[in-house]
Amino acid sequence: MNERLAQALGNLPDYLGQHVLLSAAALALALAIALPLVVASSRRPALRTPIVAFASLVQTIPGLALMALFYPLLLALAALLSPLNIRIPALGFLPALLALTLYALLPILRNAIAGIEGIDPAVKQAALAVGMTSRQTFWQIEAPLAAPVAMAGIRTAAVWTIGAATLATPVGQTSLGNYIFTGLQTENWVYVIVGCVASAALALSVDALLGIAERGIRQRRRAPLILSVAALLIGVAVALAPLGLRGATGNTVVIGAKNFSEQFILAELMASRLENAGFRTSQRQGLGSAIAFRALANSDVDVYVDYSGTLWTNVLENSESLSRDEMNAQLARQLRERFGVTVVGGLGFENAYALAMRRERAKSLGVTDIADLAKHARNLTLGADLEFLQRPEWKSIANAYGLAFAATRSFAPTFMYRALQSGEADVISAFSSDGRIDADDLVVLRDSKGAIPAYDALVLVSPKRAADAAFLAALKPLMNSISVEAMRRANYSVDRDADKRSPREAAQTLAGEIRPPAR
Amino acid sequence: MTDAAAIAFQSVTVIYDGAAKPAVDNVSLRIAKGEFVALVGTSGSGKTSLLKTINRLHDPAAGAVQIDGGDIATVDAVQLRRRIGYVFQGIGLFPHLSVAENIAITPKLLGWSRQQQSGRVRELLDLVELPQEFSDRFPAQLSGGQQQRIGIARALAARPDILLMDEPFGALDPVTRDNLGSACRQIHERLGLTTIIVTHDMQEAMLLADRIIVMRDGLVAADGPPADLMSKPGDDDVAALFDVPRRQAEKLSALAARARGAGPHA
Ligand SMILES: Nc1ncnc2c1ncn2[C@@H]1O[C@H](COP(=O)(O)OP(=O)(O)OP(=O)(O)O)[C@@H](O)[C@H]1O
Ligand SMILES: [Mg+2]
C-alpha cells in the first residue's frame, strides 16, 4: 500500500508538470483568442450572439470526444502539410491543447461579454458625453468595469481546464489523468485517488489564487493582484522545472500502450530494454485501439504492441481469413507498403478474442463450442468490452454461428469480468492471455468454425525508427520470448484484487521469465 | 443670422427608431450667449432629447443645431463634447474612478498635464463646496447629493462655454437643492456660461432662470422670461403650470402670516 503510494508519488513531478504545462498553455491560448473577440464585440454588439453561441456549442461536445475529434482533423492537416515538409504531431500535446482551449473559451467569453453588457447605460452615455472616443470608452470604462466579472470567468475556465486536462491521457498526452486511466484499468485505487486528489488540489489552489486576483480587481487594489499573479507564475515555473531538467526531448522514444493491463506491462518491458540500451523513453498510455496505430503510422508513437487479427481486419480492412503464417507475412508486407510501419516480430504469445463462460454455467447448459452456444443465445446476455461489438471479428463470429443474444452490454474490461461473476452477463468477450481466465475458473469456448482470426502479439515500429539499428536491436531479444502462461501470470498480478502489482513490477517479473532466444 | 446666438436650433426633429411620433418635433429656438435657460415640461415631453442634440449624443433626424453660428453636424462629435459640460439626469459618475479622476476626465482626454488636472480638481471641489478629502473617494462612498455635485464639477472641469444640466438636483433635500441651485447660478455668472437646465421644479425654474421654455409633446408650448409667462401664459396648460408655484407661494405667505399672528400661544 505504502509502496504503491510511493510509486504513484514518484510519477508526480512528470504528470503534474505535464498537466500544468497543458492547462496553462490552453488557458493562455484561450485568453489570447477570447480577449480580442471581446474587444471586437464591444464595438459591434451584433457579434456577441454568434460568438457566445459558438462557444456554447463547443461546450456541448463531451470533453473526451472533443479531444478525440482533433486527432483525425490534425491527421488530415498533417497529410496536407507533409508535401511542404511541415510535420505536425496529431497526437499528444497539440490535440489536447486545442480541445482544452476551445473548452476554456466559453466561460471567458460569456463572462467578459456579460460584464460589458451589464454596465449601467448611464455610465456609457457619460463616457460619450465627457468626450471619449469608442476606443477610450472601451479601455477606460468598459474594460475596467467588466474586469471583475471577466476575471470570474477566467477562474471558471481555469478550474474546468485543469479538470478536463485529465482527459488528455487517451489522446496520448501525459497528465494527471494517467493516474486515473491506468488506475481504473488495473484497479489500482491508490493511483486513481492520487490522480483525483492531485488534480483537485491543483484546481483548488489555482482557483484560490485567481480568487485573490479577482478580489484585488474588484476592490481596485494592486497588491493582491500582483501577489496572486506572481504566486501563479512561480507555481507554474516550479511545476515545469522537472520537465525542463529532463532536458531536450528531441531523441526521446515514445512508447505507446492501449488501454489495458497487458499493454501497460509490455510498454514498461520495452521501456526498460530501450533505457538499458541508452534511449530516453516516454510513454503514451491508454490510447484507443485505432488511435494507437495511426499515431504509430504518423510517428507520434515510435513503438507499441498490436495483435495480428486486429491489424488484419481493422487496420487493413481485410475480411478473408488466412492461415497464421500467411497472415503474418501479408501483414508485414502490407503494413510496410501502405503505412511505412515495420513489424519487428511476434512476442511469442497470442491474445485472441475468445468467448468465455463460468465453468458450471457452461456445464449446466452443455456448452463447449460456440456452435453449442448459438442454441441457447436467445436466453443469454453477452458482456463485451467497449470495442468488441463494433469490431468486424464480432460480426464474423455472429454470422458464422448465427449468434443472436437476448441482450448485449458493454463494460470496461475489469467490470466485464465482474459482470460475468455476478451473473449480469452469461458470456463475455474475454482475451486469451488474460490471467483471469484461469483465476476465475472460466472456460473458453471452442471456435470450431475458425471464425476468430489469430491474434499474435506483434511489435510495430514507426516509419521514423524503421532504420534505427540500435533501436531495433534493443527490441529484437524480446521476439518469441514470452509464453502465453507468463503473460497471463503477469496480467493477473496486475489485475487481481489482493497483492496487486504495478505494470512496472509485473514487467520486471516478466523480464526475468523471458525465454532465451530460441532461434 | 445674428451672431449673438450661442445655440440655435433650426427646425430640429428627433425621432427614435420604431417610435410612432417624434420626441422633438420641428423645434426652432435661439439661445443667446450668457443666457440661463430652464427647460420644463411634463415627463416624456422631449426635454432630454432636445438637450442631447446639442452635444450630439443624439443627432436630429431633420434640422440643424448651430453653436456660435457653426453647424455642429460638420464638427467632430468627440471634440465637440469635450467643449460642452453635460450633467446627467442619472448622474453617470464612473464607479471605478475616484472623485478626482472623475472630475479630471475631460481635461485628461484633452491632454492637460497632471499638475493642471489636480489643480483644477482642487478648484472645482471648492466651487461645488465639497472638502478636498473627497478627492480619493469613490462615487459609491458619497451621498446622492454629493455625487450630483461631483457630476457638476466634472461637467465644468474643462472650462466649457456651455453647460447643459438634465435634472441635476433630483436627489437633493430642499435646503441643499436651494444652495446648489444658487451656486450654479453664481458659477454661471462668474464664468460667463450659457446654461440650459432641465427641471421639473417650476419654482426653481422661475427663481434661477432668465428664460423658461415649456415643452409639450415635442413642441415648444411657451417661451419667455418667467415674469412674462406668469402674466401671459398663452394657454390653459401653461397657465396651470405657472399656477402651481403661485398658489404655493400664496398659501405659504398666508401660513407665515398666521404663524406670526398667532404668536406663542401655549
Ligand atoms: N432611446 C430612446 N429610444 C426610444 N424612445 C425614446 C428614447 N429616449 C426617449 N424616448 C422617448 O422619447 C420621448 C421623449 O423623451 P425624453 O427623454 O426626451 O423626455 P423628457 O422630457 O426628458 O422626460 P423626463 O422628464 O421624464 O426625463 C418619450 O416618449 C420617450 O419615451
Ligand atoms: Mg429627461
Side-chain angles (χ1 to χ4, degrees):
Chain A
M1 169 76 196
N2 265 340
E3 202 179 313
R4 226 176 309 155
L5 187 61
Q7 200 172 38
L9 294 180
N11 285 324
L12 193 60
D14 184 32
Y15 291 2
L16 183 66
Q18 304 258 20
H19 199 97
V20 167
L21 179 65
L22 177 63
S23 317
L27 206 58
L29 189 58
L31 281 172
I33 295 170
L35 295 183
L37 283 176
V38 171
V39 176
S41 77
S42 79
R43 305 261 180 86
R44 287 191 223 169
L47 286 175
R48 288 174 192 168
T49 314
I51 288 175
V52 173
F54 168 73
S56 306
L57 185 74
V58 167
Q59 211 70 53
T60 61
I61 305 173
L64 195 55
L66 191 61
M67 299 225 185
L69 279 177
F70 266 102
Y71 182 67
L73 278 179
L74 287 172
L75 266 187
L77 194 62
L80 277 178
L81 293 179
S82 66
L84 303 175
N85 235 338
I86 302 173
R87 221 184 77 80
I88 47 171
L91 203 67
F93 191 73
L94 198 57
L97 174 72
L98 295 178
L100 287 178
T101 300
L102 278 186
Y103 238 49
L105 281 178
L106 177 69
I108 299 177
L109 284 172
R110 200 171 45 193
N111 272 49
I113 287 176
I116 288 175
E117 285 181 338
I119 296 171
D120 183 356
V123 169
K124 286 195 237 183
Q125 276 262 307
L128 276 185
V130 299
M132 286 191 186
T133 61
S134 63
R135 180 186 293 261
Q136 287 166 334
T137 303
F138 179 77
W139 290 111
Q140 298 186 27
I141 306 298
E142 291 179 311
L145 285 177
V149 185
M151 192 64 206
I154 293 172
R155 238 174 114 182
T156 309
V159 172
W160 282 10
T161 305
I162 290 169
T166 55
L167 300 175
T169 299
V171 294
Q173 167 60 36
T174 302
S175 70
L176 291 171
N178 281 36
Y179 284 125
I180 299 172
F181 281 90
T182 325
L184 277 177
Q185 212 47 67
T186 58
E187 289 197 66
N188 182 342
W189 304 121
V190 175
Y191 258 56
V192 175
I193 289 166
V194 167
C196 292
V197 168
S199 86
L202 182 63
L204 287 177
S205 359
V206 169
D207 186 51
L209 283 175
L210 289 176
I212 293 173
E214 185 189 327
R215 231 170 306 132
I217 291 175
R218 222 176 263 286
Q219 301 168 349
R220 288 178 288 272
R221 284 169 45 210
R222 275 263 160 81
L225 184 62
I226 293 172
L227 215 73
S228 77
V229 170
L232 275 175
L233 290 179
I234 292 170
V236 169
V238 169
L240 295 188
L243 304 185
L245 290 179
R246 260 186 353 194
T249 52
N251 200 29
T252 300
V253 174
V254 182
I255 301 168
K258 300 200 218 180
N259 57 354
F260 48 91
S261 307
E262 180 171 298
Q263 288 273 323
F264 300 150
I265 297 169
L266 293 174
E268 293 286 358
L269 182 64
M270 292 189 289
S272 80
R273 289 211 66 94
L274 287 165
E275 278 164 15
N276 288 342
F279 288 92
R280 246 197 313 263
T281 67
S282 78
Q283 293 187 29
R284 299 258 193 281
Q285 296 177 337
L287 302 176
S289 195
I291 285 189
F293 182 80
R294 297 194 155 272
L296 185 85
N298 199 40
S299 294
D300 291 331
V301 159
D302 292 312
V303 58
Y304 85 108
V305 172
D306 213 330
Y307 305 94
S308 55
T310 306
L311 294 166
W312 185 248
T313 49
N314 285 17
V315 175
L316 297 175
E317 293 170 336
N318 292 313
S319 53
E320 73 218 282
S321 31
L322 301 178
S323 75
R324 163 170 274 128
D325 290 345
E326 214 173 321
M327 183 161 88
N328 284 346
Q330 287 271 358
L331 258 181
R333 196 174 54 76
Q334 291 191 22
L335 289 179
R336 182 177 286 279
E337 278 170 8
R338 283 177 55 187
F339 301 101
V341 165
T342 306
V343 178
V344 182
L347 288 170
F349 72 94
E350 185 182 23
N351 183 4
Y353 268 114
L355 295 186
M357 298 180 77
R358 285 197 329 249
R359 184 174 300 283
E360 81 276 18
R361 182 91 168 118
K363 199 177 268 173
S364 71
L365 292 174
V367 173
T368 56
D369 192 294
I370 302 177
D372 305 327
L373 185 65
K375 288 177 241 149
H376 300 280
R378 227 171 310 119
N379 304 317
L380 301 178
T381 297
L382 173 69
D385 68 37
L386 300 173
E387 285 180 22
F388 182 66
L389 295 172
Q390 267 69 52
R391 291 177 65 118
E393 291 94 327
W394 162 236
K395 295 189 182 80
S396 125
I397 299 172
N399 286 339
Y401 293 96
L403 276 180
F405 286 97
T408 55
R409 301 179 59 182
S410 297
F411 298 92
T414 301
F415 297 107
M416 180 177 75
Y417 286 94
R418 293 278 161 86
L420 186 65
Q421 289 306 327
S422 66
E424 284 169 84
D426 303 294
V427 185
I428 58 169
S429 67
F431 307 100
S432 62
S433 63
D434 199 310
R436 285 170 289 206
I437 290 178
D438 290 343
D440 292 355
D441 194 23
L442 308 183
V443 287
V444 171
L445 305 184
R446 233 189 356 263
D447 173 23
S448 55
K449 297 189 181 173
I452 306 177
Y455 286 88
D456 288 339
L458 304 178
V459 175
L460 305 183
V461 167
S462 67
K464 192 173 93 187
R465 296 282 176 185
D468 187 336
F471 178 80
L472 296 175
L475 295 171
K476 270 271 153 60
L478 291 176
M479 299 310 124
N480 275 313
S481 69
I482 301 173
S483 68
V484 73
E485 292 78 19
M487 195 65 235
R488 272 189 195 162
R489 277 196 300 279
N491 286 340
Y492 190 60
S493 73
V494 171
D495 289 333
R496 69 192 167 199
D497 290 333
D499 191 26
K500 268 175 114 58
R501 294 296 142 88
S502 70
R504 186 171 303 169
E505 291 164 332
Q508 280 159 7
T509 313
L510 187 59
E513 295 173 350
I514 277 177
R515 293 187 294 225
R519 277 152 271 175
Chain B
M1 291 286 126
T2 51
D3 53 356
I7 306 168
F9 299 93
Q10 296 175 333
S11 310
V12 167
T13 298
V14 172
I15 305 181
Y16 292 104
D17 291 341
K21 58 190 189 60
V24 175
D25 194 355
N26 199 21
V27 166
S28 295
L29 286 168
R30 299 171 63 77
I31 292 163
K33 196 163 172 52
E35 257 189 313
F36 195 117
V37 176
L39 200 53
V40 302
T42 48
S43 191
S45 58
K47 306 181 294 292
T48 300
S49 302
L50 185 66
L51 210 60
K52 283 181 175 174
T53 62
I54 302 172
N55 70 347
R56 297 194 56 191
L57 284 178
H58 198 90
D59 285 327
V65 180
Q66 291 181 341
I67 290 182
D68 296 334
D71 186 345
I72 61 169
T74 63
V75 303
D76 178 44
V78 169
Q79 298 303 329
L80 175 76
R81 290 176 193 137
R82 292 178 184 173
R83 292 194 284 120
I84 297 176
Y86 196 106
V87 182
F88 276 91
Q89 192 164 357
I91 309 177
L93 293 183
F94 303 122
H96 62 301
L97 300 181
S98 69
V99 164
E101 289 167 325
N102 262 286
I103 294 177
I105 192 86
T106 308
K108 184 177 154 208
L109 293 170
L110 286 167
W112 292 22
S113 75
R114 221 168 261 260
Q115 275 149 330
Q116 285 173 312
Q117 289 178 34
S118 56
R120 187 65 181 146
V121 169
R122 275 195 297 277
E123 277 171 39
L124 284 163
L125 283 175
D126 283 345
L127 195 68
V128 296
E129 297 176 339
L130 285 176
Q132 294 295 333
E133 302 90 85
F134 276 31
S135 292
D136 295 330
R137 291 211 193 167
F138 286 92
Q141 298 166 317
L142 302 179
S143 75
Q146 289 164 343
Q147 288 180 23
Q148 286 186 322
R149 287 174 196 234
I150 302 299
I152 294 168
R154 181 176 69 181
L156 292 170
R159 302 187 212 281
D161 298 326
I162 295 175
L163 178 61
L164 309 175
M165 296 190 284
D166 196 348
E167 296 183 40
F169 308 138
L172 299 179
D173 67 279
V175 176
T176 314
R177 188 173 180 129
D178 188 46
N179 285 341
L180 202 54
S182 319
C184 271
R185 180 72 214 203
Q186 278 170 20
I187 291 166
H188 166 87
E189 303 291 347
R190 189 140 31 105
L191 304 179
L193 303 175
T194 303
T195 303
I196 304 180
I197 180 170
V198 175
T199 179
H200 280 290
D201 185 335
M202 283 308 295
Q203 209 171 325
E204 186 173 87
M206 293 167 77
L207 294 177
L208 288 180
D210 304 323
R211 172 179 173 190
I212 296 179
I213 297 171
V214 183
M215 290 198 68
R216 189 168 58 220
D217 291 337
L219 299 165
V220 174
D223 177 4
D228 290 10
L229 288 186
M230 210 143 98
S231 55
K232 283 183 282 171
D235 66 35
D236 290 351
D237 285 346
V238 177
L241 205 57
F242 282 87
D243 249 10
V244 176
R246 198 214 318 265
R247 269 187 286 116
Q248 281 174 343
E250 281 167 6
K251 266 194 205 154
L252 281 174
S253 51
L255 211 62
R258 203 134 40 92
R260 245 178 282 119
H265 55 259

